[in-house]
Amino acid sequence: MNQKLIDSLITIVQSLSDEERQIFEQKLFFDDSLVTTQDIMNLAQKSHSFDFLKDEPDIYTLEDGEPI
């Protein structure tokens, strides 16, 4: 274990402002292997996979059926 490196990193992190520390923590603990809903929405929109639905008639209204 590299104790000097760990101590140096702690000193650096402690020297950050609250805003900088928050940004650092977000980047440190961000798991980019997770796909978000927004990622899926962007993919569907940019891939044009669902463009065929533009030509479909609107057959349902807010008054149809029971809300889930």
Side-chain angles (χ1 to χ4, degrees):
M1 176 169 56
N2 189 339
Q3 190 63 44
K4 283 185 175 183
L5 176 61
I6 293 170
D7 292 341
S8 295
L9 290 171
I10 289 171
T11 301
I12 292 169
V13 171
Q14 289 174 339
S15 71
L16 297 173
S17 69
D18 288 341
E19 182 182 3
E20 292 168 331
R21 192 178 298 183
Q22 184 179 16
I23 293 168
F24 173 75
E25 288 175 0
Q26 287 173 349
K27 290 182 181 251
L28 181 64
F29 298 114
F30 177 71
D31 184 357
D32 63 350
S33 67
L34 298 177
V35 177
T36 66
T37 301
Q38 188 64 46
D39 292 336
I40 294 170
M41 290 168 49
N42 289 338
L43 178 63
Q45 185 177 19
K46 291 178 183 176
S47 70
H48 303 287
S49 298
F50 296 99
D51 284 354
F52 69 94
L53 292 174
K54 290 180 190 173
D55 299 326
E56 291 293 314
D58 291 330
I59 58 175
Y60 298 105
T61 68
L62 293 176
E63 291 77 32
D64 292 336
E66 290 185 29
I68 299 175

